[in-house]
Amino acid sequence: MWRGVVPDIQPSSAAFRATARTTLPRYREVVSTNLDSSTVTRAIEAPTKVDFWFDPSCPWAWMTSRWVDEVAKHRNLDVTWHVMSLAVLNEDKLPSEGTDSFLPRALRYTRFVTAVREFEGQQIVKPVYDALGNRIHIGGSKNPDEVIPAALDELGLPAEYLKYADSDEFDEQMRASHFDGINRVGQDVGTPVIAIGDTAFFGPVISPAPKGEQAVSLWDGVVAAANYDGFFELKRSRTRGPIFD
């Protein structure tokens, strides 16, 4: 925990309130006052480390990622975004109607994101995910040959990265990222996977993504449940599809 001192500012003053709003706004502040010395001591909580595994093609992962983005507006989260692959997860299963076209398309996206990460660094993963997801889920496109070039153009990345969607050059890295996530929760789940420290879980599967206080309340509840070592499953049948807003 980091501790700092802001001298000569009264807690009831407008200057104090302005300082509390503008100084490191993403950190939750716990303020205590020493009335004898009129010194304000601010204890700032360290960010919560979160890891999020997604397949760009999964609409439910997209919904959950929007929820995490919303929570991050209100809580100090340090989120690292990782690829996982529904194609890899289902590679030992016989194809069925729907998956025979979906999974090869999904594989192209995960290969693409992995390649861009290798060339551009970890910090590019979330912007690439957002650019792809807005076209896949919000725009409704099912054509990677349209989605990927448009995402590259939006982010100002080289158009030649498109070729890696059809290349196995970085499959080792993609599979390592996938299994890093899935091995934390087991093979009988899907995407997304969220890890908070040593605690990991699949989901939550939500629609629509909650906003504001409701988003934070859900976050606290999910994290509290997942932190109990004996908690494994809480589920009900879905009665609606993804609601994008």
PDB file of all heavy atoms in Angstrom, residues 60-83:
ATOM      1  N   TRP A  60     -20.820 -14.114 -25.977  1.00  0.00           N
ATOM      2  CA  TRP A  60     -20.943 -14.059 -24.514  1.00  0.00           C
ATOM      3  C   TRP A  60     -19.678 -13.502 -23.876  1.00  0.00           C
ATOM      4  O   TRP A  60     -19.749 -12.748 -22.890  1.00  0.00           O
ATOM      5  CB  TRP A  60     -21.266 -15.452 -23.979  1.00  0.00           C
ATOM      6  CG  TRP A  60     -22.560 -15.962 -24.511  1.00  0.00           C
ATOM      7  CD1 TRP A  60     -22.742 -16.922 -25.462  1.00  0.00           C
ATOM      8  CD2 TRP A  60     -23.874 -15.498 -24.178  1.00  0.00           C
ATOM      9  NE1 TRP A  60     -24.078 -17.097 -25.732  1.00  0.00           N
ATOM     10  CE2 TRP A  60     -24.797 -16.241 -24.955  1.00  0.00           C
ATOM     11  CE3 TRP A  60     -24.358 -14.536 -23.283  1.00  0.00           C
ATOM     12  CZ2 TRP A  60     -26.165 -16.045 -24.866  1.00  0.00           C
ATOM     13  CZ3 TRP A  60     -25.726 -14.342 -23.201  1.00  0.00           C
ATOM     14  CH2 TRP A  60     -26.615 -15.089 -23.975  1.00  0.00           C
ATOM     15  N   ALA A  61     -18.520 -13.847 -24.414  1.00  0.00           N
ATOM     16  CA  ALA A  61     -17.279 -13.238 -23.928  1.00  0.00           C
ATOM     17  C   ALA A  61     -17.296 -11.733 -24.175  1.00  0.00           C
ATOM     18  O   ALA A  61     -16.827 -10.943 -23.344  1.00  0.00           O
ATOM     19  CB  ALA A  61     -16.074 -13.883 -24.616  1.00  0.00           C
ATOM     20  N   TRP A  62     -17.837 -11.346 -25.322  1.00  0.00           N
ATOM     21  CA  TRP A  62     -17.929  -9.915 -25.635  1.00  0.00           C
ATOM     22  C   TRP A  62     -18.800  -9.193 -24.598  1.00  0.00           C
ATOM     23  O   TRP A  62     -18.434  -8.123 -24.102  1.00  0.00           O
ATOM     24  CB  TRP A  62     -18.506  -9.725 -27.032  1.00  0.00           C
ATOM     25  CG  TRP A  62     -18.722  -8.294 -27.430  1.00  0.00           C
ATOM     26  CD1 TRP A  62     -19.901  -7.624 -27.479  1.00  0.00           C
ATOM     27  CD2 TRP A  62     -17.719  -7.353 -27.836  1.00  0.00           C
ATOM     28  NE1 TRP A  62     -19.709  -6.323 -27.889  1.00  0.00           N
ATOM     29  CE2 TRP A  62     -18.387  -6.136 -28.109  1.00  0.00           C
ATOM     30  CE3 TRP A  62     -16.341  -7.427 -27.998  1.00  0.00           C
ATOM     31  CZ2 TRP A  62     -17.703  -4.988 -28.544  1.00  0.00           C
ATOM     32  CZ3 TRP A  62     -15.658  -6.293 -28.425  1.00  0.00           C
ATOM     33  CH2 TRP A  62     -16.334  -5.100 -28.690  1.00  0.00           C
ATOM     34  N   MET A  63     -19.945  -9.776 -24.256  1.00  0.00           N
ATOM     35  CA  MET A  63     -20.813  -9.163 -23.258  1.00  0.00           C
ATOM     36  C   MET A  63     -20.083  -9.015 -21.917  1.00  0.00           C
ATOM     37  O   MET A  63     -20.149  -7.965 -21.271  1.00  0.00           O
ATOM     38  CB  MET A  63     -22.073 -10.014 -23.062  1.00  0.00           C
ATOM     39  CG  MET A  63     -22.926 -10.188 -24.293  1.00  0.00           C
ATOM     40  SD  MET A  63     -23.628  -8.648 -24.896  1.00  0.00           S
ATOM     41  CE  MET A  63     -24.638  -8.189 -23.510  1.00  0.00           C
ATOM     42  N   THR A  64     -19.392 -10.059 -21.514  1.00  0.00           N
ATOM     43  CA  THR A  64     -18.689 -10.026 -20.232  1.00  0.00           C
ATOM     44  C   THR A  64     -17.556  -9.014 -20.258  1.00  0.00           C
ATOM     45  O   THR A  64     -17.295  -8.325 -19.264  1.00  0.00           O
ATOM     46  CB  THR A  64     -18.158 -11.425 -19.878  1.00  0.00           C
ATOM     47  OG1 THR A  64     -19.225 -12.367 -19.948  1.00  0.00           O
ATOM     48  CG2 THR A  64     -17.567 -11.456 -18.478  1.00  0.00           C
ATOM     49  N   SER A  65     -16.880  -8.890 -21.386  1.00  0.00           N
ATOM     50  CA  SER A  65     -15.786  -7.915 -21.496  1.00  0.00           C
ATOM     51  C   SER A  65     -16.311  -6.494 -21.376  1.00  0.00           C
ATOM     52  O   SER A  65     -15.644  -5.622 -20.803  1.00  0.00           O
ATOM     53  CB  SER A  65     -15.030  -8.096 -22.815  1.00  0.00           C
ATOM     54  OG  SER A  65     -15.797  -7.652 -23.931  1.00  0.00           O
ATOM     55  N   ARG A  66     -17.516  -6.231 -21.893  1.00  0.00           N
ATOM     56  CA  ARG A  66     -18.104  -4.892 -21.761  1.00  0.00           C
ATOM     57  C   ARG A  66     -18.449  -4.608 -20.302  1.00  0.00           C
ATOM     58  O   ARG A  66     -18.336  -3.459 -19.844  1.00  0.00           O
ATOM     59  CB  ARG A  66     -19.361  -4.763 -22.627  1.00  0.00           C
ATOM     60  CG  ARG A  66     -19.191  -4.985 -24.128  1.00  0.00           C
ATOM     61  CD  ARG A  66     -18.038  -4.207 -24.734  1.00  0.00           C
ATOM     62  NE  ARG A  66     -16.832  -5.023 -24.806  1.00  0.00           N
ATOM     63  CZ  ARG A  66     -15.672  -4.558 -25.311  1.00  0.00           C
ATOM     64  NH1 ARG A  66     -15.585  -3.323 -25.755  1.00  0.00           N
ATOM     65  NH2 ARG A  66     -14.611  -5.340 -25.357  1.00  0.00           N
ATOM     66  N   TRP A  67     -18.870  -5.639 -19.587  1.00  0.00           N
ATOM     67  CA  TRP A  67     -19.131  -5.499 -18.153  1.00  0.00           C
ATOM     68  C   TRP A  67     -17.847  -5.165 -17.396  1.00  0.00           C
ATOM     69  O   TRP A  67     -17.829  -4.256 -16.557  1.00  0.00           O
ATOM     70  CB  TRP A  67     -19.763  -6.788 -17.649  1.00  0.00           C
ATOM     71  CG  TRP A  67     -19.803  -6.954 -16.161  1.00  0.00           C
ATOM     72  CD1 TRP A  67     -20.458  -6.151 -15.251  1.00  0.00           C
ATOM     73  CD2 TRP A  67     -19.196  -7.996 -15.392  1.00  0.00           C
ATOM     74  NE1 TRP A  67     -20.288  -6.632 -13.974  1.00  0.00           N
ATOM     75  CE2 TRP A  67     -19.523  -7.759 -14.040  1.00  0.00           C
ATOM     76  CE3 TRP A  67     -18.423  -9.102 -15.731  1.00  0.00           C
ATOM     77  CZ2 TRP A  67     -19.080  -8.600 -13.021  1.00  0.00           C
ATOM     78  CZ3 TRP A  67     -17.990  -9.941 -14.724  1.00  0.00           C
ATOM     79  CH2 TRP A  67     -18.314  -9.690 -13.376  1.00  0.00           C
ATOM     80  N   VAL A  68     -16.763  -5.878 -17.701  1.00  0.00           N
ATOM     81  CA  VAL A  68     -15.495  -5.597 -17.027  1.00  0.00           C
ATOM     82  C   VAL A  68     -15.029  -4.171 -17.340  1.00  0.00           C
ATOM     83  O   VAL A  68     -14.521  -3.463 -16.460  1.00  0.00           O
ATOM     84  CB  VAL A  68     -14.421  -6.638 -17.427  1.00  0.00           C
ATOM     85  CG1 VAL A  68     -13.040  -6.221 -16.929  1.00  0.00           C
ATOM     86  CG2 VAL A  68     -14.795  -8.009 -16.875  1.00  0.00           C
ATOM     87  N   ASP A  69     -15.203  -3.735 -18.579  1.00  0.00           N
ATOM     88  CA  ASP A  69     -14.878  -2.347 -18.922  1.00  0.00           C
ATOM     89  C   ASP A  69     -15.683  -1.374 -18.063  1.00  0.00           C
ATOM     90  O   ASP A  69     -15.163  -0.341 -17.617  1.00  0.00           O
ATOM     91  CB  ASP A  69     -15.179  -2.075 -20.398  1.00  0.00           C
ATOM     92  CG  ASP A  69     -14.104  -2.594 -21.336  1.00  0.00           C
ATOM     93  OD1 ASP A  69     -13.021  -2.979 -20.851  1.00  0.00           O
ATOM     94  OD2 ASP A  69     -14.348  -2.613 -22.560  1.00  0.00           O
ATOM     95  N   GLU A  70     -16.949  -1.683 -17.847  1.00  0.00           N
ATOM     96  CA  GLU A  70     -17.803  -0.812 -17.032  1.00  0.00           C
ATOM     97  C   GLU A  70     -17.336  -0.800 -15.585  1.00  0.00           C
ATOM     98  O   GLU A  70     -17.257   0.264 -14.952  1.00  0.00           O
ATOM     99  CB  GLU A  70     -19.253  -1.279 -17.121  1.00  0.00           C
ATOM    100  CG  GLU A  70     -20.236  -0.477 -16.301  1.00  0.00           C
ATOM    101  CD  GLU A  70     -20.460   0.934 -16.799  1.00  0.00           C
ATOM    102  OE1 GLU A  70     -20.076   1.227 -17.954  1.00  0.00           O
ATOM    103  OE2 GLU A  70     -21.030   1.756 -16.041  1.00  0.00           O
ATOM    104  N   VAL A  71     -17.017  -1.977 -15.035  1.00  0.00           N
ATOM    105  CA  VAL A  71     -16.533  -2.047 -13.653  1.00  0.00           C
ATOM    106  C   VAL A  71     -15.249  -1.244 -13.498  1.00  0.00           C
ATOM    107  O   VAL A  71     -15.039  -0.555 -12.489  1.00  0.00           O
ATOM    108  CB  VAL A  71     -16.311  -3.519 -13.230  1.00  0.00           C
ATOM    109  CG1 VAL A  71     -15.654  -3.587 -11.846  1.00  0.00           C
ATOM    110  CG2 VAL A  71     -17.626  -4.285 -13.232  1.00  0.00           C
ATOM    111  N   ALA A  72     -14.394  -1.281 -14.525  1.00  0.00           N
ATOM    112  CA  ALA A  72     -13.100  -0.578 -14.461  1.00  0.00           C
ATOM    113  C   ALA A  72     -13.267   0.937 -14.389  1.00  0.00           C
ATOM    114  O   ALA A  72     -12.322   1.640 -14.007  1.00  0.00           O
ATOM    115  CB  ALA A  72     -12.238  -0.957 -15.672  1.00  0.00           C
ATOM    116  N   LYS A  73     -14.437   1.448 -14.738  1.00  0.00           N
ATOM    117  CA  LYS A  73     -14.696   2.880 -14.590  1.00  0.00           C
ATOM    118  C   LYS A  73     -14.892   3.265 -13.129  1.00  0.00           C
ATOM    119  O   LYS A  73     -14.752   4.429 -12.767  1.00  0.00           O
ATOM    120  CB  LYS A  73     -15.949   3.281 -15.381  1.00  0.00           C
ATOM    121  CG  LYS A  73     -15.867   3.073 -16.881  1.00  0.00           C
ATOM    122  CD  LYS A  73     -17.205   3.399 -17.533  1.00  0.00           C
ATOM    123  CE  LYS A  73     -17.205   3.115 -19.022  1.00  0.00           C
ATOM    124  NZ  LYS A  73     -18.540   3.371 -19.630  1.00  0.00           N
ATOM    125  N   HIS A  74     -15.241   2.284 -12.309  1.00  0.00           N
ATOM    126  CA  HIS A  74     -15.601   2.550 -10.917  1.00  0.00           C
ATOM    127  C   HIS A  74     -14.645   1.913  -9.916  1.00  0.00           C
ATOM    128  O   HIS A  74     -14.650   2.298  -8.751  1.00  0.00           O
ATOM    129  CB  HIS A  74     -17.017   2.035 -10.651  1.00  0.00           C
ATOM    130  CG  HIS A  74     -18.038   2.547 -11.612  1.00  0.00           C
ATOM    131  ND1 HIS A  74     -18.624   3.796 -11.488  1.00  0.00           N
ATOM    132  CD2 HIS A  74     -18.567   2.001 -12.743  1.00  0.00           C
ATOM    133  CE1 HIS A  74     -19.473   3.986 -12.488  1.00  0.00           C
ATOM    134  NE2 HIS A  74     -19.459   2.911 -13.252  1.00  0.00           N
ATOM    135  N   ARG A  75     -13.893   0.935 -10.376  1.00  0.00           N
ATOM    136  CA  ARG A  75     -12.926   0.258  -9.522  1.00  0.00           C
ATOM    137  C   ARG A  75     -11.559   0.299 -10.181  1.00  0.00           C
ATOM    138  O   ARG A  75     -11.456   0.338 -11.407  1.00  0.00           O
ATOM    139  CB  ARG A  75     -13.335  -1.205  -9.294  1.00  0.00           C
ATOM    140  CG  ARG A  75     -14.599  -1.366  -8.472  1.00  0.00           C
ATOM    141  CD  ARG A  75     -14.342  -1.011  -7.006  1.00  0.00           C
ATOM    142  NE  ARG A  75     -15.581  -1.069  -6.225  1.00  0.00           N
ATOM    143  CZ  ARG A  75     -16.081  -2.183  -5.719  1.00  0.00           C
ATOM    144  NH1 ARG A  75     -15.469  -3.348  -5.947  1.00  0.00           N
ATOM    145  NH2 ARG A  75     -17.180  -2.156  -5.001  1.00  0.00           N
ATOM    146  N   ASN A  76     -10.522   0.252  -9.340  1.00  0.00           N
ATOM    147  CA  ASN A  76      -9.158   0.325  -9.863  1.00  0.00           C
ATOM    148  C   ASN A  76      -8.699  -1.068 -10.299  1.00  0.00           C
ATOM    149  O   ASN A  76      -8.126  -1.824  -9.521  1.00  0.00           O
ATOM    150  CB  ASN A  76      -8.222   0.890  -8.793  1.00  0.00           C
ATOM    151  CG  ASN A  76      -6.814   1.083  -9.321  1.00  0.00           C
ATOM    152  OD1 ASN A  76      -6.613   1.206 -10.528  1.00  0.00           O
ATOM    153  ND2 ASN A  76      -5.850   1.123  -8.420  1.00  0.00           N
ATOM    154  N   LEU A  77      -8.996  -1.422 -11.552  1.00  0.00           N
ATOM    155  CA  LEU A  77      -8.630  -2.727 -12.097  1.00  0.00           C
ATOM    156  C   LEU A  77      -7.458  -2.583 -13.061  1.00  0.00           C
ATOM    157  O   LEU A  77      -7.408  -1.649 -13.854  1.00  0.00           O
ATOM    158  CB  LEU A  77      -9.808  -3.348 -12.853  1.00  0.00           C
ATOM    159  CG  LEU A  77     -11.134  -3.502 -12.113  1.00  0.00           C
ATOM    160  CD1 LEU A  77     -12.143  -4.218 -13.001  1.00  0.00           C
ATOM    161  CD2 LEU A  77     -10.960  -4.228 -10.794  1.00  0.00           C
ATOM    162  N   ASP A  78      -6.558  -3.525 -12.992  1.00  0.00           N
ATOM    163  CA  ASP A  78      -5.450  -3.631 -13.947  1.00  0.00           C
ATOM    164  C   ASP A  78      -5.693  -4.912 -14.748  1.00  0.00           C
ATOM    165  O   ASP A  78      -5.338  -6.002 -14.318  1.00  0.00           O
ATOM    166  CB  ASP A  78      -4.118  -3.683 -13.201  1.00  0.00           C
ATOM    167  CG  ASP A  78      -2.928  -3.856 -14.139  1.00  0.00           C
ATOM    168  OD1 ASP A  78      -3.101  -3.648 -15.364  1.00  0.00           O
ATOM    169  OD2 ASP A  78      -1.835  -4.213 -13.654  1.00  0.00           O
ATOM    170  N   VAL A  79      -6.345  -4.766 -15.920  1.00  0.00           N
ATOM    171  CA  VAL A  79      -6.803  -5.918 -16.687  1.00  0.00           C
ATOM    172  C   VAL A  79      -5.812  -6.245 -17.797  1.00  0.00           C
ATOM    173  O   VAL A  79      -5.423  -5.368 -18.578  1.00  0.00           O
ATOM    174  CB  VAL A  79      -8.194  -5.671 -17.303  1.00  0.00           C
ATOM    175  CG1 VAL A  79      -8.703  -6.944 -17.976  1.00  0.00           C
ATOM    176  CG2 VAL A  79      -9.178  -5.179 -16.247  1.00  0.00           C
ATOM    177  N   THR A  80      -5.403  -7.510 -17.858  1.00  0.00           N
ATOM    178  CA  THR A  80      -4.594  -8.013 -18.963  1.00  0.00           C
ATOM    179  C   THR A  80      -5.464  -8.941 -19.794  1.00  0.00           C
ATOM    180  O   THR A  80      -6.098  -9.853 -19.262  1.00  0.00           O
ATOM    181  CB  THR A  80      -3.358  -8.769 -18.444  1.00  0.00           C
ATOM    182  OG1 THR A  80      -2.588  -7.907 -17.597  1.00  0.00           O
ATOM    183  CG2 THR A  80      -2.482  -9.222 -19.609  1.00  0.00           C
ATOM    184  N   TRP A  81      -5.485  -8.701 -21.107  1.00  0.00           N
ATOM    185  CA  TRP A  81      -6.376  -9.418 -22.011  1.00  0.00           C
ATOM    186  C   TRP A  81      -5.595 -10.494 -22.764  1.00  0.00           C
ATOM    187  O   TRP A  81      -4.515 -10.241 -23.296  1.00  0.00           O
ATOM    188  CB  TRP A  81      -7.027  -8.440 -22.978  1.00  0.00           C
ATOM    189  CG  TRP A  81      -7.812  -7.382 -22.256  1.00  0.00           C
ATOM    190  CD1 TRP A  81      -7.320  -6.216 -21.728  1.00  0.00           C
ATOM    191  CD2 TRP A  81      -9.202  -7.418 -21.938  1.00  0.00           C
ATOM    192  NE1 TRP A  81      -8.326  -5.519 -21.113  1.00  0.00           N
ATOM    193  CE2 TRP A  81      -9.493  -6.225 -21.223  1.00  0.00           C
ATOM    194  CE3 TRP A  81     -10.222  -8.324 -22.201  1.00  0.00           C
ATOM    195  CZ2 TRP A  81     -10.777  -5.930 -20.773  1.00  0.00           C
ATOM    196  CZ3 TRP A  81     -11.499  -8.037 -21.747  1.00  0.00           C
ATOM    197  CH2 TRP A  81     -11.765  -6.851 -21.037  1.00  0.00           C
ATOM    198  N   HIS A  82      -6.170 -11.708 -22.807  1.00  0.00           N
ATOM    199  CA  HIS A  82      -5.501 -12.858 -23.403  1.00  0.00           C
ATOM    200  C   HIS A  82      -6.441 -13.566 -24.376  1.00  0.00           C
ATOM    201  O   HIS A  82      -7.651 -13.630 -24.153  1.00  0.00           O
ATOM    202  CB  HIS A  82      -5.091 -13.880 -22.338  1.00  0.00           C
ATOM    203  CG  HIS A  82      -4.346 -13.324 -21.173  1.00  0.00           C
ATOM    204  ND1 HIS A  82      -2.973 -13.222 -21.148  1.00  0.00           N
ATOM    205  CD2 HIS A  82      -4.788 -12.846 -19.973  1.00  0.00           C
ATOM    206  CE1 HIS A  82      -2.602 -12.715 -19.976  1.00  0.00           C
ATOM    207  NE2 HIS A  82      -3.675 -12.481 -19.256  1.00  0.00           N
ATOM    208  N   VAL A  83      -5.855 -14.167 -25.393  1.00  0.00           N
ATOM    209  CA  VAL A  83      -6.619 -14.986 -26.329  1.00  0.00           C
ATOM    210  C   VAL A  83      -6.807 -16.391 -25.765  1.00  0.00           C
ATOM    211  O   VAL A  83      -5.896 -16.967 -25.165  1.00  0.00           O
ATOM    212  CB  VAL A  83      -5.887 -15.062 -27.692  1.00  0.00           C
ATOM    213  CG1 VAL A  83      -6.398 -16.233 -28.525  1.00  0.00           C
ATOM    214  CG2 VAL A  83      -6.070 -13.774 -28.470  1.00  0.00           C
TER     215      VAL A  83
END
